[in-house]
Coordinates of all heavy atoms in Angstrom, one line a residue:
M1 N -11.0 4.4 2.9 CA -10.1 3.2 3.1 C -10.6 2.4 4.3 O -11.2 2.9 5.3 CB -8.7 3.7 3.4 CG -8.1 4.4 2.2 SD -6.3 4.7 2.5 CE -5.7 3.0 2.4
A2 N -10.4 1.1 4.3 CA -10.8 0.2 5.4 C -9.6 0.0 6.3 O -8.4 0.3 6.0 CB -11.3 -1.1 4.8
T3 N -9.9 -0.6 7.4 CA -8.9 -1.0 8.4 C -7.8 -1.9 7.8 O -8.1 -2.8 7.0 CB -9.5 -1.8 9.6 OG1 -10.5 -0.9 10.2 CG2 -8.5 -2.2 10.6
G4 N -6.5 -1.5 8.1 CA -5.4 -2.3 7.6 C -5.0 -2.0 6.2 O -4.1 -2.6 5.6
E5 N -5.6 -1.0 5.5 CA -5.2 -0.6 4.2 C -4.0 0.3 4.2 O -3.8 1.0 5.2 CB -6.4 0.0 3.4 CG -7.4 -1.0 3.0 CD -8.4 -0.4 2.1 OE1 -8.0 0.2 1.1 OE2 -9.6 -0.6 2.3
M6 N -3.3 0.4 3.1 CA -2.1 1.2 2.9 C -2.3 2.1 1.7 O -2.8 1.6 0.7 CB -0.9 0.4 2.8 CG 0.4 1.3 2.7 SD 1.9 0.3 2.6 CE 2.0 -0.1 0.9
A7 N -1.9 3.3 1.8 CA -2.0 4.2 0.6 C -0.6 4.8 0.4 O 0.2 5.0 1.4 CB -2.9 5.4 0.9
V8 N -0.2 5.0 -0.8 CA 1.1 5.6 -1.2 C 0.8 7.0 -1.8 O 0.0 7.0 -2.8 CB 1.9 4.7 -2.2 CG1 3.2 5.4 -2.5 CG2 2.1 3.3 -1.5
F9 N 1.3 8.0 -1.2 CA 1.0 9.3 -1.7 C 2.2 9.8 -2.6 O 3.3 9.4 -2.5 CB 0.9 10.3 -0.5 CG -0.3 9.9 0.4 CD1 -0.1 9.1 1.5 CD2 -1.5 10.4 0.1 CE1 -1.1 8.8 2.4 CE2 -2.6 10.0 0.9 CZ -2.4 9.2 2.1
G10 N 1.8 10.8 -3.4 CA 2.8 11.4 -4.3 C 3.7 12.4 -3.6 O 3.6 12.5 -2.4
A11 N 4.5 13.1 -4.3 CA 5.5 14.0 -3.7 C 5.0 15.4 -3.6 O 5.7 16.3 -3.6 CB 6.7 14.0 -4.6
S12 N 3.7 15.6 -3.4 CA 3.1 16.9 -3.4 C 3.5 17.7 -2.1 O 3.4 18.9 -2.0 CB 1.6 16.9 -3.5 OG 1.0 16.3 -2.3
G13 N 3.8 16.9 -1.0 CA 4.2 17.5 0.2 C 3.0 17.8 1.2 O 3.2 18.3 2.3
T14 N 1.8 17.6 0.7 CA 0.6 17.8 1.5 C -0.3 16.6 1.6 O -0.6 16.0 0.6 CB -0.2 19.0 1.0 OG1 0.6 20.1 0.9 CG2 -1.4 19.3 1.8
I15 N -0.7 16.2 2.8 CA -1.6 15.2 3.0 C -2.8 15.7 3.9 O -2.5 16.2 5.0 CB -1.0 13.9 3.8 CG1 0.1 13.4 2.9 CG2 -2.0 12.9 4.0 CD1 1.0 12.3 3.6
E16 N -4.0 15.7 3.4 CA -5.1 16.2 4.1 C -6.0 15.0 4.5 O -6.4 14.1 3.7 CB -5.9 17.1 3.3 CG -7.1 17.7 4.0 CD -7.8 18.8 3.2 OE1 -7.2 19.5 2.4 OE2 -9.1 18.8 3.3
L17 N -6.3 14.9 5.8 CA -7.1 13.8 6.3 C -8.5 14.4 6.8 O -8.5 15.4 7.5 CB -6.4 13.1 7.5 CG -5.0 12.5 7.1 CD1 -4.4 12.0 8.4 CD2 -5.1 11.5 6.1
Q18 N -9.5 13.7 6.6 CA -10.9 14.1 7.0 C -11.6 12.9 7.5 O -11.8 11.9 6.7 CB -11.6 14.8 5.9 CG -13.0 15.3 6.3 CD -13.7 16.1 5.2 OE1 -13.2 16.3 4.2 NE2 -14.9 16.5 5.5
A19 N -12.1 12.9 8.7 CA -12.9 11.8 9.3 C -14.3 11.8 8.7 O -14.9 12.8 8.4 CB -13.0 11.9 10.8
S20 N -14.8 10.6 8.4 CA -16.2 10.5 7.9 C -17.2 10.1 8.9 O -18.4 10.2 8.7 CB -16.2 9.5 6.7 OG -15.8 8.2 7.2
Q21 N -16.7 9.6 10.1 CA -17.6 9.3 11.2 C -17.0 9.7 12.5 O -15.8 10.0 12.5 CB -17.8 7.8 11.2 CG -18.5 7.2 10.0 CD -18.6 5.7 10.1 OE1 -18.1 5.1 11.0 NE2 -19.3 5.1 9.1
E22 N -17.8 9.8 13.5 CA -17.2 10.2 14.8 C -16.6 9.0 15.6 O -17.2 8.6 16.6 CB -18.3 10.9 15.7 CG -18.8 12.2 15.1 CD -19.8 12.9 16.0 OE1 -19.8 12.6 17.2 OE2 -20.5 13.8 15.5
R23 N -15.5 8.5 15.1 CA -14.8 7.4 15.7 C -13.3 7.8 15.7 O -12.9 8.5 14.9 CB -15.0 6.1 15.0 CG -16.5 5.6 15.0 CD -16.7 4.2 14.5 NE -16.0 3.9 13.3 CZ -16.2 2.8 12.6 NH1 -17.0 1.9 13.1 NH2 -15.6 2.5 11.5
S24 N -12.6 7.1 16.6 CA -11.2 7.4 16.6 C -10.5 6.7 15.5 O -11.0 5.7 15.0 CB -10.6 7.0 18.0 OG -10.7 5.6 18.1
A25 N -9.3 7.2 15.1 CA -8.6 6.6 14.0 C -7.1 6.7 14.3 O -6.7 7.6 15.1 CB -8.9 7.4 12.7
V26 N -6.3 5.8 13.8 CA -4.9 5.8 14.0 C -4.3 5.8 12.6 O -4.6 5.0 11.7 CB -4.4 4.6 14.8 CG1 -2.9 4.5 14.9 CG2 -5.0 4.5 16.1
F27 N -3.3 6.7 12.4 CA -2.6 6.8 11.1 C -1.1 6.7 11.4 O -0.6 7.2 12.3 CB -2.8 8.2 10.5 CG -4.3 8.4 10.1 CD1 -5.1 9.1 10.9 CD2 -4.7 8.0 8.9 CE1 -6.4 9.3 10.6 CE2 -6.1 8.2 8.5 CZ -6.9 8.9 9.4
V28 N -0.5 5.9 10.6 CA 1.0 5.8 10.6 C 1.5 6.4 9.3 O 1.1 5.9 8.2 CB 1.5 4.4 10.8 CG1 3.0 4.3 10.7 CG2 0.9 3.8 12.1
I29 N 2.3 7.4 9.3 CA 2.7 8.1 8.1 C 4.3 8.0 8.1 O 4.9 8.4 9.0 CB 2.3 9.6 8.1 CG1 0.8 9.6 8.1 CG2 2.9 10.3 6.9 CD1 0.2 11.0 8.1
G30 N 4.8 7.5 7.0 CA 6.2 7.4 6.8 C 6.6 8.3 5.6 O 5.9 8.5 4.7
S31 N 7.9 8.7 5.7 CA 8.4 9.6 4.7 C 9.8 9.3 4.4 O 10.6 8.9 5.3 CB 8.3 11.0 5.2 OG 8.9 11.9 4.2
A32 N 10.2 9.4 3.1 CA 11.6 9.1 2.7 C 11.9 9.8 1.4 O 11.0 10.2 0.7 CB 11.8 7.6 2.6
E33 N 13.2 10.0 1.2 CA 13.6 10.5 -0.1 C 13.3 9.5 -1.2 O 13.4 8.3 -0.9 CB 15.2 10.7 -0.1 CG 15.6 11.9 0.8 CD 15.2 13.2 0.2 OE1 15.3 13.4 -1.1 OE2 14.8 14.1 0.9
P34 N 13.0 9.9 -2.4 CA 12.8 8.9 -3.5 C 14.0 8.1 -3.7 O 15.2 8.6 -3.7 CB 12.5 9.8 -4.7 CG 12.0 11.1 -4.1 CD 12.8 11.3 -2.8
H35 N 13.9 6.8 -4.0 CA 15.0 6.0 -4.3 C 15.5 6.3 -5.7 O 14.7 6.5 -6.7 CB 14.5 4.5 -4.2 CG 15.7 3.5 -4.1 ND1 16.4 3.1 -5.2 CD2 16.2 2.9 -3.1 CE1 17.3 2.3 -4.8 NE2 17.2 2.1 -3.5
P36 N 16.8 6.3 -5.9 CA 17.4 6.7 -7.2 C 17.3 5.6 -8.3 O 17.6 5.9 -9.5 CB 18.8 7.0 -6.9 CG 19.2 6.2 -5.8 CD 17.9 6.1 -4.9
H37 N 16.8 4.4 -8.0 CA 16.8 3.3 -8.9 C 15.3 2.7 -9.0 O 14.6 2.9 -8.0 CB 17.7 2.1 -8.5 CG 19.1 2.6 -8.4 ND1 19.9 2.9 -9.4 CD2 19.8 2.8 -7.2 CE1 21.1 3.2 -8.9 NE2 21.1 3.2 -7.6
D38 N 15.0 2.1 -10.1 CA 13.7 1.4 -10.1 C 13.8 0.2 -9.2 O 14.9 -0.4 -9.0 CB 13.5 0.8 -11.6 CG 13.1 2.0 -12.5 OD1 12.7 3.0 -12.1 OD2 13.3 1.7 -13.7
L39 N 12.7 -0.2 -8.5 CA 12.7 -1.2 -7.6 C 11.9 -2.4 -8.1 O 10.9 -2.3 -8.8 CB 12.2 -0.8 -6.2 CG 12.9 0.3 -5.6 CD1 12.2 0.8 -4.3 CD2 14.4 -0.1 -5.3
V40 N 12.4 -3.6 -7.8 CA 11.7 -4.9 -8.2 C 11.3 -5.5 -6.9 O 12.2 -5.8 -6.0 CB 12.7 -5.8 -9.0 CG1 12.0 -7.1 -9.4 CG2 13.2 -5.1 -10.2
T41 N 10.0 -5.7 -6.7 CA 9.5 -6.3 -5.4 C 9.2 -7.7 -5.6 O 8.8 -8.2 -6.6 CB 8.2 -5.6 -5.0 OG1 7.2 -5.7 -6.0 CG2 8.5 -4.1 -4.7
G42 N 9.5 -8.5 -4.5 CA 9.2 -9.9 -4.5 C 8.3 -10.2 -3.3 O 7.8 -9.3 -2.7
T43 N 8.2 -11.5 -3.0 CA 7.4 -11.9 -1.9 C 8.0 -11.5 -0.6 O 7.3 -11.1 0.3 CB 7.3 -13.5 -2.0 OG1 6.8 -13.9 -3.2 CG2 6.3 -14.0 -0.9
Y44 N 9.3 -11.6 -0.5 CA 10.0 -11.3 0.8 C 10.9 -10.1 0.8 O 11.4 -9.8 1.9 CB 10.8 -12.5 1.2 CG 10.0 -13.8 1.2 CD1 10.2 -14.8 0.2 CD2 9.0 -14.1 2.1 CE1 9.5 -16.0 0.2 CE2 8.3 -15.3 2.1 CZ 8.6 -16.2 1.1 OH 7.9 -17.4 1.1
S45 N 11.2 -9.6 -0.3 CA 12.2 -8.5 -0.3 C 12.1 -7.6 -1.5 O 11.3 -7.9 -2.4 CB 13.6 -9.2 -0.4 OG 13.8 -10.0 -1.5
V46 N 12.9 -6.5 -1.5 CA 12.9 -5.5 -2.6 C 14.3 -5.4 -3.1 O 15.2 -5.3 -2.3 CB 12.3 -4.2 -2.1 CG1 12.4 -3.1 -3.2 CG2 10.9 -4.3 -1.6
H47 N 14.5 -5.4 -4.4 CA 15.9 -5.3 -4.9 C 15.8 -4.3 -6.1 O 14.8 -3.8 -6.6 CB 16.4 -6.6 -5.4 CG 16.6 -7.6 -4.2 ND1 17.8 -7.6 -3.5 CD2 15.8 -8.4 -3.6 CE1 17.7 -8.5 -2.6 NE2 16.5 -9.0 -2.6
T48 N 17.0 -4.0 -6.7 CA 17.1 -3.1 -7.8 C 17.2 -3.8 -9.2 O 17.2 -3.1 -10.2 CB 18.4 -2.2 -7.6 OG1 19.5 -3.0 -7.5 CG2 18.2 -1.3 -6.4
S49 N 17.1 -5.1 -9.2 CA 17.1 -5.8 -10.5 C 16.4 -7.2 -10.3 O 16.4 -7.7 -9.2 CB 18.5 -6.0 -11.1 OG 19.2 -7.0 -10.3
R50 N 15.9 -7.7 -11.4 CA 15.3 -9.1 -11.3 C 16.3 -10.1 -10.9 O 16.0 -11.0 -10.1 CB 14.6 -9.4 -12.6 CG 13.4 -8.6 -12.9 CD 12.6 -9.2 -14.0 NE 11.4 -8.4 -14.3 CZ 10.3 -8.3 -13.5 NH1 10.2 -8.9 -12.4 NH2 9.3 -7.5 -13.9
A51 N 17.6 -10.0 -11.3 CA 18.6 -10.9 -11.0 C 18.9 -10.9 -9.5 O 19.1 -11.9 -8.8 CB 19.9 -10.6 -11.8
A52 N 19.0 -9.7 -8.9 CA 19.3 -9.5 -7.5 C 18.1 -10.0 -6.7 O 18.3 -10.7 -5.6 CB 19.5 -8.1 -7.2
L53 N 16.9 -9.8 -7.2 CA 15.7 -10.4 -6.5 C 15.7 -11.9 -6.5 O 15.5 -12.5 -5.4 CB 14.4 -9.9 -7.2 CG 13.1 -10.4 -6.6 CD1 12.9 -10.0 -5.2 CD2 11.9 -10.0 -7.5
A54 N 16.0 -12.5 -7.6 CA 16.1 -14.0 -7.7 C 17.1 -14.5 -6.8 O 16.9 -15.5 -6.0 CB 16.3 -14.4 -9.1
K55 N 18.3 -13.9 -6.7 CA 19.4 -14.3 -5.8 C 19.0 -14.2 -4.4 O 19.2 -15.1 -3.6 CB 20.6 -13.5 -6.1 CG 21.8 -13.9 -5.3 CD 23.1 -13.1 -5.7 CE 24.2 -13.6 -4.8 NZ 25.4 -12.8 -5.1
G56 N 18.4 -13.0 -4.0 CA 18.0 -12.8 -2.7 C 16.9 -13.8 -2.2 O 17.0 -14.4 -1.1
E57 N 15.9 -14.0 -3.0 CA 14.8 -14.9 -2.6 C 15.3 -16.4 -2.6 O 14.9 -17.2 -1.8 CB 13.6 -14.8 -3.5 CG 12.9 -13.4 -3.2 CD 11.5 -13.3 -3.7 OE1 11.1 -14.1 -4.6 OE2 10.8 -12.5 -3.2
A58 N 16.3 -16.7 -3.5 CA 16.9 -18.1 -3.4 C 17.6 -18.3 -2.1 O 17.6 -19.3 -1.5 CB 17.8 -18.3 -4.6
G59 N 18.3 -17.2 -1.7 CA 19.0 -17.3 -0.4 C 18.0 -17.4 0.8 O 18.3 -18.2 1.7
I60 N 16.9 -16.8 0.7 CA 15.9 -16.9 1.8 C 15.3 -18.3 1.8 O 15.1 -18.9 2.8 CB 14.7 -15.9 1.6 CG1 15.3 -14.5 1.9 CG2 13.5 -16.2 2.5 CD1 14.3 -13.3 1.5
Q61 N 15.1 -18.9 0.6 CA 14.6 -20.2 0.5 C 15.6 -21.2 1.0 O 15.2 -22.2 1.7 CB 14.2 -20.6 -1.0 CG 13.6 -21.9 -1.2 CD 12.3 -22.1 -0.4 OE1 11.5 -21.2 -0.3 NE2 12.1 -23.3 0.1
A62 N 16.8 -21.1 0.7 CA 17.9 -22.0 1.2 C 18.0 -21.9 2.7 O 18.1 -23.0 3.4 CB 19.2 -21.6 0.6
L63 N 17.9 -20.7 3.3 CA 17.9 -20.6 4.7 C 16.7 -21.3 5.3 O 16.8 -22.0 6.3 CB 17.9 -19.1 5.1 CG 17.9 -18.8 6.6 CD1 19.1 -19.4 7.3 CD2 17.9 -17.3 6.8
A64 N 15.5 -21.1 4.7 CA 14.3 -21.7 5.3 C 14.4 -23.2 5.2 O 14.0 -23.9 6.2 CB 13.1 -21.3 4.4
E65 N 15.0 -23.8 4.2 CA 15.2 -25.2 4.1 C 16.2 -25.7 5.1 O 16.0 -26.8 5.8 CB 15.7 -25.6 2.7 CG 14.6 -25.4 1.6 CD 15.1 -25.6 0.2 OE1 16.3 -25.9 0.0 OE2 14.3 -25.4 -0.7
R66 N 17.3 -25.0 5.4 CA 18.2 -25.3 6.4 C 17.6 -25.3 7.8 O 17.8 -26.2 8.6 CB 19.4 -24.4 6.4 CG 20.4 -24.7 5.3 CD 21.8 -24.1 5.4 NE 21.9 -23.1 6.4 CZ 22.4 -21.9 6.2 NH1 22.8 -21.5 5.0 NH2 22.6 -21.0 7.1
M67 N 16.8 -24.3 8.0 CA 16.1 -24.2 9.3 C 15.1 -25.3 9.6 O 14.9 -25.7 10.7 CB 15.4 -22.8 9.4 CG 16.4 -21.7 9.5 SD 15.6 -20.0 9.5 CE 14.8 -20.1 11.1
A68 N 14.5 -25.8 8.5 CA 13.5 -26.8 8.6 C 14.2 -28.2 9.0 O 13.5 -29.0 9.6 CB 12.7 -27.0 7.3
L69 N 15.4 -28.3 8.7 CA 16.1 -29.5 9.1 C 16.5 -29.6 10.6 O 16.8 -30.6 11.1 CB 17.4 -29.6 8.3 CG 17.2 -29.8 6.8 CD1 18.6 -29.8 6.1 CD2 16.5 -31.1 6.4
R70 N 16.5 -28.4 11.3 CA 16.8 -28.4 12.7 C 15.6 -28.6 13.5 O 14.5 -28.2 13.2 CB 17.3 -27.0 13.0 CG 18.6 -26.6 12.4 CD 19.1 -25.3 12.8 NE 20.3 -24.9 12.0 CZ 20.6 -23.7 11.8 NH1 19.9 -22.7 12.3 NH2 21.7 -23.4 11.1
P71 N 15.7 -29.4 14.6 CA 14.5 -29.6 15.5 C 14.1 -28.3 16.1 O 14.9 -27.4 16.4 CB 15.0 -30.6 16.5 CG 16.4 -31.1 16.0 CD 16.9 -30.1 15.0
A72 N 12.8 -28.1 16.3 CA 12.3 -26.9 16.9 C 12.5 -26.9 18.4 O 12.5 -28.0 19.0 CB 10.8 -26.8 16.6
G73 N 12.7 -25.8 19.0 CA 12.7 -25.6 20.4 C 14.1 -26.0 21.0 O 15.0 -26.4 20.3
P74 N 14.3 -25.7 22.3 CA 15.6 -26.0 22.9 C 15.9 -27.5 23.0 O 15.0 -28.3 23.1 CB 15.4 -25.4 24.3 CG 13.9 -25.4 24.6 CD 13.3 -25.2 23.2
Q75 N 17.1 -27.8 22.8 CA 17.5 -29.2 22.9 C 17.9 -29.6 24.3 O 18.5 -28.9 25.0 CB 18.7 -29.4 22.0 CG 18.5 -29.1 20.5 CD 17.4 -30.0 19.9 OE1 17.5 -31.2 20.0 NE2 16.3 -29.4 19.4
R76 N 17.4 -30.8 24.7 CA 17.7 -31.3 26.0 C 18.7 -32.4 25.8 O 18.5 -33.3 25.0 CB 16.4 -31.8 26.7 CG 15.4 -30.8 27.0 CD 14.3 -31.4 27.8 NE 13.4 -30.3 28.1 CZ 12.5 -30.4 29.0 NH1 12.4 -31.4 29.8 NH2 11.7 -29.4 29.3
R77 N 19.7 -32.4 26.7 CA 20.7 -33.5 26.7 C 20.5 -34.3 27.9 O 20.4 -33.7 29.0 CB 22.1 -32.9 26.6 CG 22.3 -32.2 25.2 CD 23.7 -31.7 25.1 NE 23.8 -31.0 23.8 CZ 24.9 -30.5 23.3 NH1 26.0 -30.7 24.0 NH2 24.9 -29.9 22.2
T78 N 20.5 -35.6 27.8 CA 20.4 -36.4 28.9 C 21.7 -37.1 29.2 O 22.3 -37.7 28.3 CB 19.3 -37.5 28.6 OG1 18.1 -36.9 28.3 CG2 19.1 -38.4 29.9
A79 N 22.2 -36.9 30.4 CA 23.4 -37.5 30.8 C 23.2 -38.8 31.6 O 22.3 -38.8 32.4 CB 24.2 -36.5 31.7
V80 N 23.9 -39.8 31.2 CA 23.8 -41.1 31.9 C 25.0 -41.3 32.7 O 26.1 -41.3 32.2 CB 23.6 -42.2 30.9 CG1 23.5 -43.5 31.6 CG2 22.3 -41.9 30.1
F81 N 24.9 -41.4 34.0 CA 26.0 -41.7 34.9 C 25.9 -43.1 35.4 O 24.9 -43.6 35.8 CB 26.0 -40.7 36.1 CG 26.2 -39.3 35.7 CD1 25.1 -38.5 35.5 CD2 27.4 -38.8 35.4 CE1 25.2 -37.2 35.1 CE2 27.6 -37.5 35.0 CZ 26.5 -36.6 34.9
S82 N 27.0 -43.8 35.5 CA 27.1 -45.1 36.1 C 28.0 -45.0 37.3 O 29.0 -44.4 37.3 CB 27.5 -46.2 35.1 OG 28.8 -45.8 34.6
G83 N 27.6 -45.7 38.3 CA 28.4 -45.6 39.6 C 29.1 -46.7 39.9 O 29.8 -47.3 40.4

């Protein structure tokens, strides 16, 4: 495997790692119980049905559109005083 690659292992319970060169390596290993439902993956999220995925990604798109309407960065207010 190359740098930045991900592997998904089966449920065998054993993972054996062997270095092929004398260099340091970093591994991040995650573990979880199998999910009881089939999963549908999208660009931004994971859901249990295509309908839920479409609704979730539409919500993300709507939020992105609302955020684009706001000016970026902190807002400065200028007060004008007359004496």
